[in-house]
Structure formats: C-alpha cells, structure tokens
C-alpha cells in the first residue's frame, strides 16, 4: 500500500489540459478566461494538497468474463474487458485534489462567482487526474510487466455501485475520501479505479468512438492527445 501527499507544483499540468476539461477541445479560450485560470492556479498553490493511494493485487479475467481482483469479483463491462487480455495483477488507486480544494469550491459558490467556480471546478478535475498520471509514471518504472490505461467505476459500462468493492481494498477514509449512499466520492474532485498489469498486456488507447458517453474525461484525454498532435 503506497500513500503520498503531493505538492501542487509536483504535478505537471498544462493549460491545454484545463482548456479541454472546460470543453474548449481544440480551441483556446479568450483572454478573460485565460487570466482567470492564471488567478485560480495562483490561489490554490498554497491550499491544494493532492493525495493518492495505490496497491497492487493479483487479478485476472474469469471464465464467466468477470474481473477477479483479490477476493472480489467485478462486472466491468465488455469495453473494459476488451483491454485486459493477459492481465495478471491490478493496481488499484484512489486520488483526490483534497478536502481543501472542496472548501475552495464552496467558497467560490457562496460568493456567487459562477465563472470562477466553473474554472476552478475544471482545474480540480485535472488535478485529480494528474495524480493518477503520477501513479502511471511509477508503473512505467517496473520492468517485469506492462500496464493498461486506468479505468474507473461509472465509465465504459462499469456500474458505479461497484465503487464500494474497490474501496474495500483500502483503509477507512483513504486519502480522506468518503463514499455517499450513491457511491459518489467526497471530496468531489476525486477519482478511483485500476490499471491492468501483466507481461502479456498490450497497452491500447481509449477507443472513444465505441462509447456513448460524450462527456467522459477519458474522451477529453484522447482529445488532448489529438490537440497536442495538431500543435494547439
């Protein structure tokens, strides 16, 4: 079990990622929004305390095409299963921008600054995903296996109700996160899921064209890759 508290400056977050999280895709926002992004990034430098936790557990696909991780059985759906042939282990993770960031968002909401709250909300999502990126970098250092991209409950046909099973692999209040009765996480800018690991796993990009969820953050990550290729 690995637990880390990060400094915001430890995370390499490009403004292009924030633009995509805000819905700009291959466009750049106007000067007013860009200035607000700069202001928010400065304001959160001293208050944001990202955290992450991960562990590696034996895992694999069963004959009934379910995903077995440790003692738990998951029904992750056909899209995710298609990425996992050769999986022998899973790296389970939980990450968050932190309760301090939640308090910052509540402050903006109470002040009625809708635009700034929208900007900060998008940045919080990028921070949580950047934490997952840090875990991916650690997995890249292991010479004995490949790893898939990360997959999370609530996406690609994986029922969010199974988030409770995923949390069972961690101590109570991992990274200060609680689950609601609807299996949503608090603080809201948090993410959980797993990477598939194995010598025979073939890393593949998200095939967003076969998914109906147009607002999925994974689709935004794919857009970011295309955005970078185009030099935007």
């Amino acid at each position: 079990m690995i637990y880390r508290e990060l400094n915001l400056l430890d995370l390499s977050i490009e403004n292009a990622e924030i633009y995509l999280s805000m819905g700009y895709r291959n466009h750049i926002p106007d000067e007013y929004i860009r200035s607000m992004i700069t202001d928010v990034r400065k304001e959160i430098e001293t208050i944001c305390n990202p955290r992450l936790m991960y562990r590696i557990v034996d895992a694999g696909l069963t004959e009934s095409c379910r995903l077995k991780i440790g003692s738990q059985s998951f029904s992750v759906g056909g899209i995710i299963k298609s990425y996992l042939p050769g999986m022998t282990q899973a790296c389970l993770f939980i990450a968050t921008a932190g309760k301090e960031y939640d308090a910052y968002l509540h402050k903006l909401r109470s002040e009625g600054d809708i635009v700034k709250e929208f900007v900060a909300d998008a940045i919080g999502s990028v921070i949580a995903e950047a934490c997952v990126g840090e875990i991916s970098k650690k997995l890249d250092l292991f010479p004995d296996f490949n790893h898939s991209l990360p997959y999370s409950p609530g996406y690609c046909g994986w029922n969010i109700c199974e988030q409770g099973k995923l949390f069972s692999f961690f101590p109570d209040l991992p990274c200060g996160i609680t689950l609601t009765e609807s299996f949503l996480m608090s603080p809201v800018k948090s993410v959980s899921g797993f990477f598939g690991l194995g010598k025979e796993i073939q890393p593949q990009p998200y095939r967003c064209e076969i998914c109906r969820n147009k607002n999925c953050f994974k689709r935004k990550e794919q857009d970011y890759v295309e955005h970078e290729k185009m030099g935007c």
Side-chain angles (χ1 to χ4, degrees):
M1 186 88 67
I2 304 296
Y3 171 74
R4 290 182 62 196
E5 293 190 10
L6 303 172
N7 186 295
L8 186 61
L9 298 179
D10 294 333
L11 303 174
S12 300
I13 296 176
E14 302 291 337
N15 278 344
E17 298 173 78
I18 298 171
Y19 302 159
L20 287 170
S21 182
M22 294 174 66
Y24 282 95
R25 296 188 180 273
N26 296 326
H27 301 284
I28 296 176
D30 60 32
E31 184 177 351
Y32 173 71
I33 295 297
R34 296 200 307 273
S35 176
M36 188 167 290
I37 289 171
T38 299
D39 290 344
V40 170
R41 294 189 69 158
K42 288 181 179 178
E43 288 179 4
I44 65 176
E45 280 183 3
T46 58
I47 63 170
C48 185
N49 186 19
R51 304 166 176 88
L52 62 84
M53 184 177 289
Y54 63 95
R55 63 177 299 188
I56 295 176
V57 182
D58 289 339
L61 295 174
T62 68
E63 291 183 0
S64 58
C65 291
R66 293 178 66 85
L67 178 61
K68 188 73 177 298
I69 300 179
S71 61
Q72 295 281 10
S73 179
F74 295 85
S75 180
V76 295
I79 294 175
I80 294 177
K81 285 187 294 188
S82 69
Y83 292 103
L84 301 177
M87 176 180 178
T88 56
Q89 293 172 299
C91 177
L92 305 169
F93 65 81
I94 291 174
T96 181
K99 60 183 180 181
E100 300 85 359
Y101 202 87
D102 239 22
Y104 176 70
L105 290 174
H106 285 301
K107 174 177 176 291
L108 296 180
R109 187 173 302 121
S110 68
E111 293 172 349
D113 197 335
I114 298 174
V115 177
K116 192 172 184 179
E117 181 189 352
F118 172 69
V119 171
D121 186 87
I123 292 175
S125 297
V126 173
I127 291 171
E129 285 303 311
C131 290
V132 180
E134 289 299 304
I135 299 172
S136 180
K137 291 176 185 177
K138 294 295 183 183
L139 295 177
D140 288 339
L141 300 177
F142 284 81
D144 296 332
F145 52 68
N146 298 319
H147 68 84
S148 72
L149 291 173
Y151 304 105
S152 298
Y155 292 90
C156 302
W158 186 7
N159 195 314
I160 197 170
C161 292
E162 294 204 331
Q163 187 132 249
K165 292 182 182 179
L166 193 151
F167 267 64
S168 72
F169 287 91
F170 296 94
D172 291 342
L173 299 176
C175 300
I177 299 171
T178 59
L179 281 182
T180 69
E181 292 182 359
S182 300
F183 297 99
L184 299 176
M185 289 179 283
S186 178
V188 66
K189 294 306 170 186
S190 302
V191 62
S192 67
F194 74 92
F195 293 84
L197 311 176
K199 291 182 179 180
E200 305 301 323
I201 273 198
Q202 299 298 318
Q204 303 176 57
Y206 296 116
R207 298 197 301 273
C208 295
E209 70 278 1
I210 67 175
C211 177
R212 296 180 182 179
N213 186 352
K214 301 301 182 184
N215 297 313
C216 177
F217 68 90
K218 306 297 187 186
R219 184 185 299 275
K220 292 175 183 175
E221 287 180 358
Q222 187 68 20
D223 285 343
Y224 177 67
V225 172
E226 296 302 320
H227 188 91
E228 289 290 283
K229 287 180 180 177
M230 291 166 45
C232 298

